[in-house]
Structure formats: structure tokens, C-alpha cells
Amino acid sequence: MPASFADLLRGHRRAARLTLEQLAELSGVSARTLSDMERGRSTGPQHRTVTALANALALGDDDRRRLLEQAREGRLRDHWMRPTGLCELPRSVDDFTGRTAELAWTQDFVQAGAGGVALITGPAGLGKTTLAVRAAHALRPSFPDGVFFVDLFGMSPQPLAAGDALTQLLRALGTPERQVPADGADRASLYRSLLRGRKALVVVDNAASEEQVRPLLPGSGGGHALVTSRRLLTGLESVHRLSLGPLPPAQATRLLTGILGDRSGDAAITELAELCGGLPLALRIVGNRLASRPGWQAADLVARLANEERRLDQLRAGDLKVAQAFAMSYEQLAETARRVFRRLALVTGRDFDAALAAVLGAIPAEDAWDALDELVDLGLLQDGAAGRYRFHDLVRLFARERLVEEELKADREAMTERLAAWLLRMAIDSGRWFDPSGPPACAQNGPPSAEEAAHWLRVDSGNWLGALRYAAGRADHAVVLDCAWHLRWYAGRWMHWPHWREVFTLGAGAAAALGEPAGLLRYLAVFHQVPPAASEDMLRSATEILDSGAAGEEAWGHLFVGRALLQLGRLDEAVEAVSRAAKLFKAGGDVEAYCQCLGMAGEGLRLAGRYEEALARYREMADLAFSEVDPGIAALTQPNALAGAGLCLRLLGRGAEAIAAFTEAVTLFERLPRSGSLARCLENLAAVLAEEGHPVASRRAYAYAGEVFEAVGEAEASLHCRQRS
């Protein structure tokens, strides 16, 4: 890059060993003017001034010519860069709040090096333009050659053409309209040449596509561009990217209080901020509505926004409308993506995948992926880990509005029914993988393995639970019973899920409506109540089942009562109730239920200090599991029976036998997915090994237990074991 006029002048003065004052005296040019020239503040002095300087410096012909040429180019640049008032940066809002990290990011972008393009993307209403304008005002001192703003109207029906945007920018840079090239490529070339070597920032707002924005990006040199877009513009190369999300709750509340000023002490402000979902546009609308109506209370607006069906109607103030911001993105979608978008409002869970979108859109999975990509690109969906997607709460309400407006009621009901049927079929097929009688016959659309079935049941739990509630509400008893029945085995692998009680309560109700035995499902519903706070309710429910006198329910009723009493610590009563259940199950030939009774009785006897009696129950349970119980059920029953026996043997002081029982139990637990049962068995084994004088083996067992506890999410227990390893 050739030396500037300032560099040349400074170099010649120093070579002549002259101070500014001495050169001023020799040339007749004031010392202040000379200082401005050497600092680059005066880049194009008049020809006679430069000639006087060249004479005073006694420059040769070549040096004289270069100094005069640089001054002439400086005068030309001053002509081009003379402020025109065009493309002026909008004002920054006074109550701008938050986005500290994002503003720091823009500073880092400028300081990273010469030139560059920064791209800020995000859904409608997140304040991309507000952030870009705020950043540009803060960065203005870094760009002495100008800060320019152009709105590309990317979401409007007629976005600004790149050629027209270039014309605006060229005129803002000082180019007379008659000298703006007619050819688009020539305009872009002239634009880049004017920015080359100059410290200027161009804010390109609301870009629709790569093709629209690419000609507006500076070339090499000191020019920078800050671009905003709802689209991701993945085709742009070598750009710094910043994706905006909703404001965190604390920042959202601060923005709202900043707008309201002296009303910031209202306790309902935080709740208002939450209802706005951290969306700056919604927060500003709510704040403006309250600020313009001093008689309104924030609590009144909270009450209005609490009604989801009316929330979007309330989020408007003057020409600011949240729904309109979303609508501009919606209008950009292809018809398939629009259909998928509005129908996804029927999803009851917090997120979903392409398979579910394909069902709702009645399209192949490949087309569903394309539609979801389009929705993410326009910010109407958020994409997460492992191919999951979700709505912002306000966007979900907009999708629901579009669904009601654009789809007939009969079609909406048919889609809801089809979605529920698909989800429940998937849940049933997934649950079958955990039936001890063996894996299911290959279902046409079900998960292909137990691992994938377990994953689907967990990540889509909110969706299939919603479908189960829908089916129960329609009195579709057969499918509700089928679903609850086939999920009973998986429930034991995901004990902490808080909705199992509802699942099995719905299943038991469906069974009763169909005249089918409901005892096991009633028991599972009671079993999955959260102890100990619900233990009294559990006992009451169990007693009601027992007192109902329903056919085939007596044994299960006694078992329910025993479980509740055990959780309440009423151990002798619990053992008595469970023993009654055991006799009835044994008489009826239900060996599996009888084994459950033995295990529960063993637990009650052990906790009551009756170790020999408890050991006898556990050993009988183990013997039955090895000989008479279905192999799939035995895989769960055997290690639990051995672990219970190990606890009793340890308490009886028979350490060597306890080690043998725990070791065998660990071996059997290891054949199953990792669980808290395996971790606790390892912890007990480690303790007995330490007591019996095997410290090295004990530390290994504690370390293994800590690893398993960590894997199943029990951090405190993991730390406890690792400290002993």
C-alpha cells in the first residue's frame, strides 16, 4: 500500500531535520496546519500549499511529484467522502439494556484486524437492528471516515435490490448521481474502491439472502460491515457470526423497568417479563403500553397476557406488533414449510423431531428435514441437540393462530387424531422392547433397538403423554390400556419420571371401563407416588382399592397397603399386609407377583431388625427367580434378591457370605443397563470388603460405584464413593 500524504510529509521533514515550527517558518504554512497534515486530519491540501512545502523541503523532482499526487488523491477522496446526510445511522434507544457480551463481541470484531464482516442473526423480535445500531454508535470513534446504514427490507414483499442499495451507499460516500455506474458490477467495484484503505463501517440491516448482501461487503482494506438478518445466510464466506437468543430473565426485567422508570417497583414486572419470553420487541410493547397509560397496573396486563388465546393480540402498541413480526417471516416460507409450521402447534411436548413433523405434514421424512431447516433459517424454530426442534412460546401461539385461520376444524381434529395414534403406536412398540418375554416382532415404524426405544420414550415423553391424555379424554379405552400395559416394564428403568402415576392411573381406569383386571396397573400407579410426603395418600388410595372388594383385586390391594405402610415406617403392619398378599398370589399361581411380595417382606423384616427372617425371604425369592420365573423377569429379580440377601448377611456378621452374594448380584446387574441398583450393590460390597480386611478390593469397588452413580445422575453419592476409593 503506497505511503499516505501524511507519511510522505512527515518523512521528508524528518529527513531535512526540521521541526514543525522551522518548516512553518520556511514554507509560510502554519504549524497547526502542518500538524493536521501529518496526523492525517488534512489529507488533501491545496496545490499551492504543497508546492510551498516542496520548495521549503528542497525536494527532488520524483519526491515533489509523489507528494503532489498524494495531495491530489486526498482532495479527490475528500470530495467523494464529503458527508451527504444519506445512509445516516438511526438513533440508538436511550433505554437500551443488556446484551453486554454481544456488544463486547462487536468491539472484539473491530479490534481483530483490518477489515471484515460481522453477521448478527436471530428470529423476529430479538432486537438485531437495535443491537447493531447501538454497536455502530459505540464504534463510531473507530471509523473516522464514516458510519453508514442501509435497510435492505429483507422481509418485505419487495426487498431492496443490491444495485439500488449500492446506489444509496455510493451517493452517501459522495459520488454524484450522474457518476454512479449503470452496471451493477461496476457499482460494486466503485463501492469497494472507495472503501479501500478507509476506516468506514457499513451497517447492512435486514438482509434477505446472500445474493442481496454479498455486493455490499467491503473488499480488502480497513472497511467493515455489520450485517443483520433473520436468515442464517450460511452461504457467506469468512464472516464472524453472532446468533441472538432471548434476553435472560434478569435482563428482560431490567429492560422493562428501564422503560417504565418510576414504576419499576411494581412486583408484577417480573411476571410480565416472563410472559414476554425474553423477546425485546414484546417487552418494549408491554413497556410502552404501560408507560402511555399511567392508570394501568402491571398486574392488569399480566392477567390479560395470561390468556394464551389473547396474548398475541395484547402484544401490540401503535405500529409495533409481535404477530406482524412473525408474519413477515411466515410469508417467506414455501407452502410445505408453512403447513408443517402451523401444524406443529398441535405438539404437546416441549420439542419434537423430523419424524413427528413428517407425520403432521403428511410428507416424507426427507421433505420434513427440508421444511424444518427452512423454519430454523428464518428463526421460526430453534434447533437443539440430536435433531430436536422447539418453538419460542410466542411463536408457538402464532403457529396456533395460523392453524386456526388456515385449516378447517374437521381437518385439525383429524390431524390431532392421526398424531395421537402415531405417538401411542410408537410408545407401545417402544415399550415392547422391555417386556421380559422377549423383543417385539419388527414393527413397521417402531424403534429398531431397545436403546433407541428407551431414547425415544424419554425425549418424546411430553408428546406421547399428551397423546395418552387425548385418547383417555376420548374414552379410547383399548389403546390407553394397551399403552399403559406395555410401558410397565420400562417404567422400572426410568423411576424418577414424575408422570408414571398418571400413566398407570389412566391405564387402570381404562381397564376398569373395559371390565379387564386393573390390579397391577393400580399397584403401579400407587407405587409411583413420590415418597415420603405422599405416603399417607398412598395408604388411603391403597385401602380404598382393598375395600372396594373388586374381583381379583384383593391380593393387589394388600400389596398396595404393604407398600404404603413400609414407606410410612410401620414395618410390622407392612410385613403382615405383604404376607397376606403373598399367600393369595401363591394360591393363585402368580409366581412373579409372589416374588415381589417376598422382596418387599424381606425389606420390611430387615428394616425391623429381623435379619434371619428377612434372609429367608430373599433366598426363597432368589431360588424362585432361578427356577420358576420367566427368564426376562428373572434377570431383574435375581440380582435384587441376592443384593437383599447380602445386606442381611452383612448385618448378621457373616461377611464372607455377604461378599459372595454381593459379587454375584453385581455380575447379574452388569448384564442390565447401568442403574442405581448396581451402584448401591457395589457400594455395599465395598463396605463389606473393607470390614473383612480387603482394602485394595474395597477401593476398587468404591471407585466403580462412584462411576456408576455419576452415570445415572446421582452426583452426591458418586462423590461419597470416590472419596473412599
Side-chain angles (χ1 to χ4, degrees):
M1 184 173 175
S4 66
F5 177 80
D7 293 334
L8 289 175
L9 179 59
R10 188 185 309 108
H12 289 314
R13 178 178 63 77
R14 289 175 178 173
R17 298 181 180 278
L18 296 174
T19 65
L20 284 174
E21 290 73 13
Q22 290 171 332
L23 180 57
E25 185 177 351
L26 290 171
S27 64
V29 179
S30 72
R32 181 172 181 177
T33 300
L34 286 171
S35 176
D36 287 344
M37 292 179 188
E38 290 196 3
R39 286 186 296 159
R41 297 186 65 180
S42 175
T43 58
Q46 295 299 313
H47 180 81
R48 61 178 178 274
T49 301
V50 182
T51 299
L53 291 170
N55 292 336
L57 292 165
L59 297 181
D61 292 343
D62 290 343
D63 289 336
R64 176 186 291 267
R65 185 179 67 257
R66 279 195 294 271
L67 191 65
L68 289 168
E69 287 175 353
Q70 283 298 325
R72 184 171 61 254
E73 288 191 14
R75 289 193 296 276
L76 184 60
R77 282 198 303 272
D78 287 343
H79 171 74
W80 290 121
M81 300 300 289
R82 188 176 299 123
T84 63
L86 299 174
C87 295
E88 179 60 26
L89 193 64
R91 74 179 183 90
S92 178
V93 293
D94 295 333
D95 50 20
F96 185 91
T97 303
R99 302 297 193 198
T100 304
E102 291 84 352
L103 288 171
W105 179 87
T106 62
Q107 291 280 356
D108 293 342
F109 152 69
V110 169
Q111 295 170 6
V117 179
L119 174 63
I120 301 175
T121 61
L126 283 181
K128 298 179 294 297
T129 300
T130 303
L131 172 64
V133 169
R134 183 75 169 192
H137 278 287
L139 294 169
R140 192 186 286 275
S142 299
F143 296 101
D145 294 326
V147 176
F148 305 95
F149 179 91
V150 61
D151 187 348
L152 297 184
F153 300 98
M155 292 296 105
S156 71
Q158 294 183 322
L160 185 68
D164 293 337
L166 283 169
T167 297
Q168 290 185 18
L169 288 167
L170 286 171
R171 291 183 60 200
L173 290 169
T175 306
E177 189 166 358
R178 65 181 181 278
Q179 294 183 19
V180 174
D183 180 73
D186 290 342
R187 287 185 215 175
S189 178
L190 176 59
Y191 168 73
R192 288 192 296 271
S193 70
L194 292 177
L195 290 181
R196 187 187 306 120
R198 291 156 177 82
K199 293 289 290 182
L201 173 66
V202 180
V203 180
V204 181
D205 189 42
N206 200 9
S209 66
E210 293 89 343
E211 293 78 11
Q212 185 191 30
V213 76
R214 192 173 279 120
L216 309 181
L217 304 181
S220 59
H224 287 67
L226 185 57
V227 183
T228 75
S229 178
R230 294 189 191 183
R231 294 187 180 274
L232 298 178
L233 303 185
T234 54
L236 291 182
E237 309 88 354
S238 302
V239 298
H240 304 265
R241 296 179 177 273
L242 174 65
S243 177
L244 283 192
L247 288 173
Q251 290 187 19
T253 302
R254 283 202 300 273
L255 174 57
L256 202 48
T257 55
I259 297 170
L260 295 174
D262 58 0
R263 300 177 63 181
S264 60
D266 195 324
I269 296 299
T270 299
E271 192 172 356
L272 269 182
E274 291 175 357
L275 287 168
C276 291
L279 203 69
L281 176 60
L283 291 162
R284 189 158 297 282
I285 288 172
V286 166
N288 288 354
R289 291 192 71 181
L290 284 175
S292 61
R293 294 170 173 83
W296 279 22
Q297 298 297 317
D300 297 332
L301 196 49
V302 167
R304 295 188 182 195
L305 292 176
N307 182 353
E308 286 191 348
E309 294 184 3
R310 300 273 301 161
R311 188 175 300 166
L312 288 181
D313 287 339
Q314 296 297 321
L315 291 176
R316 60 181 177 180
D319 61 350
L320 297 177
K321 299 178 182 179
V322 168
Q324 182 59 34
F326 297 153
M328 294 177 72
S329 295
Y330 181 73
E331 294 300 324
Q332 301 291 316
L333 298 171
E335 180 53 40
T336 298
R338 289 189 194 183
R339 183 170 68 251
V340 170
F341 170 75
R342 59 181 181 258
R343 292 183 179 182
L344 283 170
L346 295 171
V347 175
T348 57
R350 63 193 298 270
D351 59 13
F352 43 84
D353 60 10
L356 192 149
V359 172
L360 282 169
I363 53 178
E366 295 79 8
D367 293 344
W369 281 112
D370 292 341
L372 292 169
D373 284 345
E374 189 175 353
L375 291 167
V376 170
D377 189 47
L378 271 166
L380 289 171
L381 283 183
Q382 304 166 20
D383 58 344
R388 306 293 296 180
Y389 300 83
R390 64 184 302 178
F391 281 113
H392 183 281
D393 289 345
L394 295 180
V395 178
R396 182 191 292 274
L397 296 180
F398 175 74
R400 187 185 300 170
E401 283 190 358
R402 291 297 86 217
L403 180 67
V404 172
E405 287 290 328
E406 299 182 34
E407 307 260 7
L408 296 174
K409 182 179 180 181
D411 292 338
R412 298 198 303 270
E413 292 174 349
M415 281 184 284
T416 303
E417 186 174 350
R418 183 170 68 247
L419 174 64
W422 182 84
L423 285 166
L424 292 176
R425 185 74 263 158
M426 282 287 291
I428 292 167
D429 287 345
S430 297
R432 282 176 171 159
W433 278 101
F434 307 98
D435 191 322
S437 62
C442 183
Q444 183 176 0
N445 296 312
S449 69
E451 292 75 15
E452 292 177 72
H455 176 75
W456 186 88
L457 285 169
R458 294 194 185 203
V459 299
D460 271 288
S461 58
N463 296 325
W464 63 256
L465 178 61
L468 189 68
R469 291 166 176 164
Y470 171 80
R474 289 167 51 89
D476 194 350
H477 301 309
V479 72
V480 171
L481 175 58
D482 199 19
C483 185
W485 184 256
H486 283 97
L487 288 172
R488 70 193 190 282
W489 294 109
Y490 179 69
R493 295 174 178 241
W494 193 25
M495 293 287 292
H496 65 274
W497 192 53
H499 299 291
W500 285 124
R501 183 187 182 192
E502 180 182 1
V503 170
F504 294 121
T505 299
L506 292 175
L514 294 169
E516 298 286 341
L520 176 58
L521 292 173
R522 289 183 188 277
Y523 169 70
L524 290 171
V526 173
F527 178 81
H528 284 282
Q529 290 189 107
V530 180
S535 295
E536 290 288 354
D537 291 338
M538 181 176 178
L539 178 59
R540 191 178 305 111
S541 300
T543 304
E544 288 174 1
I545 294 170
L546 185 59
D547 292 344
S548 69
E553 300 290 295
E554 185 180 0
W556 287 108
H558 285 302
L559 188 58
F560 300 163
V561 170
R563 165 62 65 179
L565 291 168
L566 188 63
Q567 292 183 184
L568 287 168
R570 294 159 60 178
L571 302 177
D572 292 338
E573 294 174 80
V575 171
E576 184 179 352
V578 172
S579 297
R580 290 196 193 102
K583 289 179 182 178
L584 292 170
F585 282 127
K586 188 174 184 179
D590 193 337
V591 180
E592 296 166 4
Y594 179 62
C595 279
Q596 286 190 49
C597 293
L598 290 173
M600 198 180 299
E603 183 180 358
L605 290 165
R606 176 176 57 80
L607 292 172
R610 298 158 64 180
Y611 305 135
E612 289 285 3
E613 294 176 74
L615 179 60
R617 300 297 195 282
Y618 284 126
R619 281 182 165 169
E620 183 182 359
M621 179 182 176
D623 290 342
L624 286 172
F626 277 106
S627 59
E628 297 187 34
V629 174
D630 179 277
I633 298 172
L636 298 171
T637 306
Q638 290 166 2
N640 282 300
L642 289 166
L647 288 171
C648 294
L649 289 165
R650 180 189 175 193
L651 291 166
L652 288 166
R654 295 154 64 177
E657 293 176 76
I659 290 172
F662 284 133
T663 301
E664 187 175 0
V666 166
T667 301
L668 295 173
F669 274 130
E670 287 179 324
R671 298 174 184 175
L672 304 171
R674 283 188 167 186
S675 65
S677 297
L678 169 60
R680 284 183 286 276
C681 189
L682 284 163
E683 186 178 16
N684 287 319
L685 173 60
V688 179
L689 286 168
E691 293 165 359
E692 293 297 307
H694 305 289
V696 176
S698 173
R699 287 195 293 272
R700 283 200 298 266
Y702 271 127
Y704 187 9
E707 177 187 331
V708 178
F709 272 129
E710 183 178 4
V712 299
E714 297 189 33
E716 186 175 343
S718 174
L719 178 61
H720 174 81
C721 290
R722 291 180 187 275
Q723 288 173 340
R724 286 159 175 74
S725 63

